[in-house]
């Protein structure tokens, strides 16, 4: 597990990156946890959705720059990871 923090505007947020190996798959699943932003009952429909999804992208990119292994594939479907391909 990796932990870090970043600024989103003037606000500091803490994040955790959890690596999991799904059963019967030869791959690793990366889970980003930002307490208070990503631990919600639903995915969409909150007033702070833009802040939540930008914080997710910042946390992922920050972690990826510190990880010693470059991934072969980054699954980007939907608008939450929209900045990843430009990274």
């Amino acid at each position: 597990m990796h932990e870090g923090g970043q600024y989103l505007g003037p606000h500091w947020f803490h994040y955790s990156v959890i690596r999991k190996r799904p059963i019967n798959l030869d791959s690793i699943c990366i889970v980003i946890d930002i307490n208070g932003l990503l631990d919600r009952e639903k995915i969409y429909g909150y007033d702070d959705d833009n802040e939540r999804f930008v914080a997710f992208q910042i946390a992922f990119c920050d972690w990826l720059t510190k990880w010693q292994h470059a991934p072969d594939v980054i699954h980007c479907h939907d608008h939450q990871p929209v900045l990843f391909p430009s990274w």
Side-chain angles (χ1 to χ4, degrees):
M1 182 164 84
H2 172 83
E3 295 189 10
Q6 279 293 317
Y7 280 100
L8 178 59
H11 304 287
W12 177 262
F13 67 91
H14 178 265
Y15 67 88
S16 299
V17 179
I18 304 159
R19 294 175 19 153
K20 296 185 175 205
R21 185 174 299 275
I23 298 173
N24 299 327
L25 291 178
D26 191 27
S27 63
I28 295 173
C29 180
I30 305 296
V31 178
I32 306 287
D33 179 33
I34 304 174
N35 195 15
L37 288 179
L38 300 181
D39 54 347
R40 307 268 176 96
E41 197 171 304
K42 304 180 299 183
I43 296 173
Y44 307 107
Y46 297 98
D47 291 339
D48 63 347
D49 278 353
N50 291 337
E51 176 184 347
R52 296 171 58 230
F53 300 142
V54 169
F56 170 73
Q57 294 175 64
I58 290 170
F60 178 81
C61 290
D62 182 59
W63 166 75
L64 195 59
T65 62
K66 295 173 181 155
W67 194 28
Q68 296 178 1
H69 302 88
D72 294 324
V73 175
I74 298 175
H75 182 70
C76 300
H77 77 281
D78 220 341
H79 63 277
Q80 295 94 333
V82 71
L83 295 178
F84 298 163
S86 65
W87 175 83

